[in-house]
Amino acid sequence: MKIKKVLLSAGVHGNEKTPIFLLKKFQKNSIPITRSNFKTEILIANPQAVKLHQRYLDVDLNRCFSSEKLDKPHPVKYEEIQAQAINRRVQESQIDLILDFHTTTSSNMGITLLLSNDHPFNLKLAAYLAEHNDLVRIVLNAEQKQNNRLRHLIPLGMTVEIGGIAPNVVDPVWVERLEYLVQQILEYLEQINQDRPPVTPKIITLYSLQEPVYFPTDDQGEIVAMVHPNLHGSDYSVLNPDEPMFIDLDGNNIYYSGETANILFVSESAYFEKQIAFYLATKKKISIE
Amino acid sequence: MKIKKVLLSAGVHGNEKTPIFLLKKFQKNSIPITRSNFKTEILIANPQAVKLHQRYLDVDLNRCFSSEKLDKPHPVKYEEIQAQAINRRVQESQIDLILDFHTTTSSNMGITLLLSNDHPFNLKLAAYLAEHNDLVRIVLNAEQKQNNRLRHLIPLGMTVEIGGIAPNVVDPVWVERLEYLVQQILEYLEQINQDRPPVTPKIITLYSLQEPVYFPTDDQGEIVAMVHPNLHGSDYSVLNPDEPMFIDLDGNNIYYSGETANILFVSESAYFEKQIAFYLATKKKISIE
């Protein structure tokens, strides 16, 4: 398999400024991103939201890439129009691989690779990155129903979440880390294209994303508890049955009653409006090839 | 001087959820906040913005407390109307002391007390808190022109900034720290009212807030540099002449040319829309009493 065109995307959420800054750096050609055997394009996906320092204008752009929305004859919402335009560009430019960069705000997700699917190419690339970078963790959505993210436009690629980084902030430490990751990916692809694929581990650890856990609410739908301090900031750690997961307004613990799981996206600011406290995930080891 | 009524305020910015959670806890009476010799009232200052998870609806509420805006005969903007209502309540309830709780997002401001003015009462309370709490630092606005914050409605009080905490996130560690600070303040006030004022240091260290430093921009007004990694996350540290303060899109350093100063509110997310990179401050020691 040869990769001819790679798309680097940022700004699907307009207030995630750190990857946008890096892609602007690439655009200024201060750092080469095209290699001998493939080309790299850059996309700032939601420029209006970037300008307004908002996550989105009308609706979350990263929920607009379902085939249903892409086929809508007369989209009205800004992000729905934008999603169709991006889809046209991806098809016309014959993009082979999408790398869509995002940031998490409160949750300490390090570098989280959200794979588009379990295609062996995606698994191997992820395995290579995890092997060479301690910050990297690999997540696969357990239920592949929601194919509405930018990464779902084509089979190869992933969303890369880095953080925590506050909204609208360009964090210089993370700019450097992400630049390093992009260079690792480009090197890997160059070698794949030269038919000398880098050695990748045969067994990889991945987190299979399960359902969200919601905050407890009162009759008016208002949140009445906070995430327990043991969990806050402890993304990827293990949550066992009977461990406290919330503290309510009276200072009482609320305990977890499910099966042992790992916790992801803990206290993620962008999920607060959906009243999601964190996600559960199952840690797995799988063989590849 | 006796304190009869204290106002604890949160939610002047609707997306600063951590102090709001604490005040809701107080409202549920799970923790007593009224003392033998004074009463404590609670204000959630911008309930509409809280509901919408936004900093504000029309304009920043914490710029609406100037006498000019409070005297406006027919305010139209939501926050201007709200500021007038809050002012009426403060006057009618005969509030003696305002403690207005805020959070910073990206900047590591610890517990920063922004004093309403240099009234000896404010200085002594701040000195007491700094003496008993290592996280506390005291800031006084050098130019007292902008008397448009909630704290400016009456002579006694302060804004308390805690953080960094991502917007809309209830950080359990900070809830606990802020609860501890509030209890320290209430104890102090109780003793003042009993004419047995706690011992306070005679000399205090404070930071006199100077002008902001803006991001470099291009012809289109777009930001073209990031805060230097040495500065990011290093609030209250010293910036000397000829030290790098930004890195531009070409990877070149931009150097500071002013006089030695301390840096505050570094990479503060809420100031990004104003293109403020950080504030300068002068560290001073002053005698009180």
Side-chain angles (χ1 to χ4, degrees):
Chain A
M1 176 172 288
K2 295 270 195 274
I3 300 294
K4 286 177 190 159
K5 255 192 198 159
V6 175
L7 183 70
L8 304 182
S9 156
V12 163
H13 295 132
N15 58 0
E16 300 181 0
K17 292 282 179 18
T18 294
I20 297 172
F21 189 88
L22 178 62
L23 296 201
K24 277 190 187 169
K25 233 175 128 171
F26 291 154
Q27 275 180 322
K28 263 209 103 182
N29 281 320
S30 49
I31 304 150
I33 49 169
T34 281
R35 291 287 182 273
S36 58
N37 50 30
F38 66 91
K39 283 196 172 153
T40 306
E41 292 192 6
I42 280 172
L43 170 72
I44 305 296
N46 197 337
Q48 285 302 318
V50 174
K51 204 169 273 182
L52 294 170
H53 311 300
Q54 292 173 191
R55 184 171 169 89
Y56 55 80
L57 272 66
D58 296 331
V59 287
D60 190 334
L61 175 58
N62 219 20
R63 305 293 181 273
C64 291
F65 294 95
S66 62
S67 50
E68 188 203 342
K69 288 210 169 164
L70 294 174
D71 292 339
K72 216 175 184 178
H74 306 292
V76 177
K77 290 175 178 162
Y78 173 72
E79 278 81 8
E80 289 181 357
I81 296 166
Q82 192 65 9
Q84 295 193 356
I86 292 169
N87 183 38
R88 277 194 300 276
R89 174 174 163 187
V90 166
Q91 307 307 333
E92 283 164 15
S93 292
Q94 296 183 291
I95 300 292
D96 298 307
L97 178 77
I98 293 176
L99 298 164
D100 184 28
F101 301 118
H102 286 250
T103 59
T104 63
T105 51
S106 183
S107 50
N108 284 323
M109 294 292 283
I111 299 175
T112 292
L113 312 179
L114 290 156
L115 305 190
S116 302
N117 51 53
D118 59 0
H119 192 296
F121 185 96
N122 293 334
L123 289 174
K124 278 185 204 171
L125 171 55
Y128 175 80
L129 296 172
E131 179 86 349
H132 291 85
N133 194 325
D134 287 344
L135 291 170
V136 169
R137 289 194 186 86
I138 308 165
V139 173
L140 196 58
N141 210 324
E143 32 166 350
Q144 294 288 331
K145 290 174 208 163
Q146 295 187 312
N147 287 325
N148 54 7
R149 310 299 208 268
L150 171 57
R151 67 175 181 268
H152 293 129
L153 285 181
I154 55 172
L156 304 189
M158 56 189 74
T159 302
V160 180
E161 293 275 3
I162 60 168
I165 305 169
N168 287 315
V169 168
V170 177
D171 183 324
V173 176
W174 274 111
V175 168
E176 202 174 293
R177 284 176 184 161
L178 187 58
E179 197 175 314
Y180 180 72
L181 184 85
V182 171
Q183 296 297 349
Q184 282 185 308
I185 295 172
L186 298 178
E187 264 170 51
Y188 177 90
L189 297 176
E190 196 172 22
Q191 293 180 42
I192 290 281
N193 280 350
Q194 289 164 345
D195 290 322
R196 43 180 195 97
V199 179
T200 50
K202 299 288 171 242
I203 291 172
I204 63 169
T205 301
L206 58 78
Y207 296 83
S208 173
L209 202 64
Q210 313 292 334
E211 71 274 18
V213 174
Y214 293 89
F215 282 103
T217 53
D218 64 13
D219 299 345
Q220 278 81 51
E222 281 202 43
I223 292 173
V224 293
M226 63 181 181
V227 168
H228 194 277
N230 291 356
L231 275 57
H232 186 86
S234 299
D235 296 81
Y236 287 103
S237 72
V238 173
L239 180 62
N240 289 308
D242 303 325
E243 281 182 356
M245 60 175 176
F246 295 113
I247 303 179
D248 71 14
L249 288 169
D250 295 312
N252 297 322
N253 282 341
I254 297 172
Y255 297 89
Y256 175 61
S257 60
E259 285 174 26
T260 296
N262 293 74
I263 52 170
L264 271 66
F265 295 108
V266 182
S267 300
E268 175 53 21
S269 164
Y271 295 155
F272 203 86
E273 60 181 45
K274 297 172 193 159
Q275 303 194 325
I276 292 173
F278 53 88
Y279 275 84
L280 297 174
T282 315
K283 192 174 179 177
K284 285 180 184 174
K285 281 190 191 295
I286 63 161
S287 318
I288 44 175
E289 223 177 10
Chain B
M1 176 172 288
K2 295 268 196 272
I3 300 294
K4 286 178 190 159
K5 254 190 200 162
V6 176
L7 183 70
L8 304 182
S9 157
V12 163
H13 295 132
N15 58 0
E16 300 181 359
K17 293 280 178 24
T18 295
I20 297 172
F21 189 87
L22 178 63
L23 296 201
K24 277 190 188 169
K25 235 176 126 171
F26 290 154
Q27 273 179 324
K28 264 208 102 180
N29 280 320
S30 49
I31 304 150
I33 48 168
T34 282
R35 292 286 181 273
S36 57
N37 48 32
F38 65 90
K39 281 194 173 153
T40 305
E41 291 191 8
I42 281 172
L43 170 72
I44 306 295
N46 197 337
Q48 284 302 318
V50 173
K51 204 169 273 181
L52 295 170
H53 311 299
Q54 292 173 192
R55 187 171 167 88
Y56 54 80
L57 271 68
D58 296 330
V59 287
D60 190 333
L61 174 58
N62 219 21
R63 306 293 181 272
C64 290
F65 294 95
S66 63
S67 49
E68 188 203 341
K69 288 212 169 163
L70 293 174
D71 292 340
K72 217 176 186 177
H74 306 292
V76 176
K77 290 175 179 162
Y78 173 71
E79 278 81 7
E80 289 181 359
I81 297 166
Q82 192 64 11
Q84 294 194 357
I86 292 169
N87 183 39
R88 276 193 300 276
R89 174 173 162 186
V90 166
Q91 307 307 334
E92 283 164 16
S93 293
Q94 296 183 292
I95 300 292
D96 298 308
L97 178 77
I98 293 177
L99 298 164
D100 184 27
F101 300 118
H102 287 251
T103 59
T104 63
T105 52
S106 184
S107 51
N108 284 322
M109 293 292 283
I111 298 174
T112 292
L113 312 178
L114 290 156
L115 306 190
S116 303
N117 51 53
D118 60 359
H119 192 296
F121 186 96
N122 293 334
L123 289 173
K124 278 187 205 169
L125 171 55
Y128 174 81
L129 295 173
E131 178 86 352
H132 290 85
N133 194 326
D134 286 345
L135 291 170
V136 169
R137 290 194 186 85
I138 307 164
V139 172
L140 197 58
N141 209 326
E143 33 167 346
Q144 296 287 331
K145 291 172 206 163
Q146 294 187 310
N147 288 325
N148 54 7
R149 310 299 207 269
L150 170 57
R151 67 175 182 268
H152 293 129
L153 286 181
I154 55 173
L156 303 190
M158 56 188 73
T159 301
V160 180
E161 293 274 4
I162 60 168
I165 305 170
N168 286 315
V169 169
V170 177
D171 182 324
V173 176
W174 274 110
V175 168
E176 201 174 294
R177 285 177 184 159
L178 187 58
E179 195 175 315
Y180 180 72
L181 185 85
V182 171
Q183 296 297 348
Q184 281 185 309
I185 295 172
L186 298 178
E187 264 170 50
Y188 177 89
L189 298 176
E190 195 172 23
Q191 292 179 45
I192 290 281
N193 279 350
Q194 288 164 346
D195 290 322
R196 43 182 195 96
V199 179
T200 51
K202 299 288 170 245
I203 292 174
I204 63 169
T205 301
L206 58 78
Y207 295 84
S208 173
L209 202 63
Q210 312 292 332
E211 70 275 20
V213 175
Y214 292 89
F215 282 104
T217 53
D218 64 12
D219 298 347
Q220 277 82 50
E222 281 201 44
I223 292 173
V224 292
M226 63 181 181
V227 168
H228 195 277
N230 291 356
L231 275 57
H232 186 86
S234 300
D235 297 81
Y236 287 104
S237 72
V238 174
L239 180 62
N240 289 309
D242 302 325
E243 283 182 354
M245 60 176 176
F246 295 113
I247 303 180
D248 71 13
L249 287 170
D250 295 312
N252 297 323
N253 283 339
I254 297 171
Y255 298 89
Y256 176 62
S257 60
E259 285 175 27
T260 296
N262 293 74
I263 53 171
L264 272 66
F265 295 107
V266 182
S267 299
E268 175 53 20
S269 165
Y271 295 156
F272 204 86
E273 60 181 44
K274 297 172 192 158
Q275 304 192 324
I276 293 173
F278 53 88
Y279 275 84
L280 297 173
T282 316
K283 192 174 178 178
K284 286 181 184 173
K285 282 190 191 295
I286 62 161
S287 318
I288 44 176
E289 224 177 10

